[in-house]
């Protein structure tokens, strides 16, 4: 093989090697960025979950100290438990949160409540208070248990 042709082949080989090295470097950067993005997402989700668990404990404490209406607490606790430990909603004593939620979830809240007829609101409040009274002891027991429940 003539010397000139050898040099062209070597030059082409070096260009291919350079292109492959650039491709490998770029792919490793992309993988590194993906790993970093995934780690940040996992950290965010863990912080969010920890915040929800802390909220559960605060609401449960508020129930224990009668600082919140039981119906409101049940709605909030049920919503949070659905995200962090949905299996608890099926087990005693925590299933009372699901039961109360199911009994009062048809009632309007927030803006919908403001635009609802006052007589309807009054009737629904009576129904809600009756549900709270019926399940008051179970709600308190579940709140106490929830505060001491380990949620992984």
């Amino acid at each position: 093989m003539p010397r000139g042709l050898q040099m062209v082949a070597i030059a082409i080989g070096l260009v291919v090697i350079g292109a492959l090295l650039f491709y490998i470097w770029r792919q490793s950067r992309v993988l590194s960025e993906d790993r970093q993005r995934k780690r940040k997402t996992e950290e965010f989700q863990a912080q969010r979950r920890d915040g929800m668990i802390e909220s559960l404990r605060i609401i449960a404490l508020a129930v224990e100290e009668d600082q919140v209406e039981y119906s409101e607490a049940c709605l909030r606790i049920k919503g949070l438990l659905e995200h962090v430990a949905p299996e608890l909603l099926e087990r005693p004593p925590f299933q009372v949160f699901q039961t109360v939620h199911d009994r009062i979830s048809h009632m309007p809240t927030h803006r919908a409540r403001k635009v609802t007829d006052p007589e309807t609101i009054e009737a629904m409040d009576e129904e809600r208070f009756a549900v709270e009274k019926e399940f008051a002891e179970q709600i308190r027991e579940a709140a106490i248990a929830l505060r001491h429940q380990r949620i992984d």
Side-chain angles (χ1 to χ4, degrees):
M1 180 180 264
R3 187 156 176 83
L5 192 55
Q6 286 178 344
M7 292 303 213
V8 168
I10 290 172
I12 291 172
L14 289 173
V15 168
V16 169
I17 291 171
L20 288 173
L21 285 173
F22 176 76
Y23 177 76
I24 291 169
W25 171 77
R26 202 168 127 222
Q27 286 302 104
S28 72
R29 264 186 77 196
V30 168
L31 287 173
S32 175
E33 289 170 358
D34 284 348
R35 273 188 238 113
Q36 186 177 15
R37 199 174 306 116
K38 184 178 178 183
R39 183 181 47 78
K40 284 182 179 180
T41 300
E42 288 170 354
E43 286 175 4
F44 172 77
Q45 289 174 341
Q47 288 174 346
R48 185 170 177 238
R49 180 178 169 80
D50 291 345
M52 287 182 192
I53 292 169
E54 181 63 20
S55 292
L56 281 167
R57 299 203 190 295
I58 290 169
I59 296 168
L61 180 62
V63 168
E64 283 182 64
E65 296 180 357
D66 289 322
Q67 295 178 346
V68 64
E69 290 183 353
Y70 287 179
S71 55
E72 175 74 16
C74 287
L75 292 174
R76 291 180 183 275
I77 289 172
K78 190 258 186 193
L80 289 167
L81 279 177
E82 281 183 329
H83 291 286
V84 297
E87 69 281 357
L88 289 180
L89 290 170
E90 299 169 6
R91 295 190 345 218
F94 310 111
Q95 58 195 174
V96 71
F97 300 128
Q98 180 71 52
T99 302
V100 172
H101 175 273
D102 292 345
R103 296 267 299 269
I104 65 171
S105 62
H106 67 281
M107 298 179 184
T109 60
H110 308 297
R111 289 188 191 126
R113 183 176 169 90
K114 290 179 184 175
V115 297
T116 303
D117 175 50
E119 290 177 10
T120 304
I121 293 295
E122 190 175 320
M124 287 185 179
D125 282 347
E126 287 177 20
E127 179 185 351
R128 183 171 53 87
F129 294 143
V131 170
E132 286 181 3
K133 186 176 180 180
E134 178 182 350
F135 293 100
E137 190 58 37
Q138 289 174 292
I139 293 169
R140 284 187 59 76
E141 289 173 9
I144 291 167
L146 183 60
R147 248 183 12 96
H148 300 290
Q149 175 71 32
R150 184 164 184 246
I151 300 174
D152 294 323

